Amino acid sequence: SIFVEAVSAFEFSNANSILKAEKDSLIKFSGLSVSISCIRSFIATQTSSYPYGKYTLPLIDLNDLLIQKAAQVKTPKTKK
């Protein structure tokens, strides 16, 4: 199995001229897309010498991912 954990940091060169809602939207959609792309490249590079060849992370439906995450946040899990 493959496990990758990543953290991304984004900086806006014109941060003072961008509204917070616009920054949040850019990070939520573009930032997530860039981060997943970097993870996909990292996994392909790390697995390129595997006996069965490199592993390519399949495409991810970002809209569905964000909808699922929003649903998880709205319905907190109960402790057992």
Side-chain angles (χ1 to χ4, degrees):
S1 76
I2 298 171
F3 175 80
V4 176
E5 188 171 28
V7 175
S8 299
F10 297 94
E11 183 177 313
F12 296 91
S13 60
N14 54 347
N16 294 334
S17 63
I18 300 175
L19 298 173
K20 182 179 180 340
E22 189 176 357
K23 287 180 198 175
D24 292 345
S25 179
L26 284 168
I27 290 172
K28 184 177 180 179
F29 295 103
S30 297
L32 180 58
S33 181
V34 167
S35 297
I36 291 173
S37 178
C38 288
I39 291 169
R40 182 177 287 114
S41 175
F42 175 79
I43 291 172
T45 301
Q46 295 301 311
T47 60
S48 64
S49 62
Y50 279 21
Y52 296 110
K54 73 177 181 179
Y55 178 78
T56 302
L57 185 67
L59 295 176
I60 297 172
D61 181 351
L62 292 181
N63 287 328
D64 183 55
L65 177 67
L66 292 171
I67 289 168
Q68 288 180 34
K69 184 62 177 176
Q72 285 178 351
V73 170
K74 286 182 183 177
T75 55
K77 295 180 181 177
T78 58
K79 292 184 179 181
K80 293 182 179 181

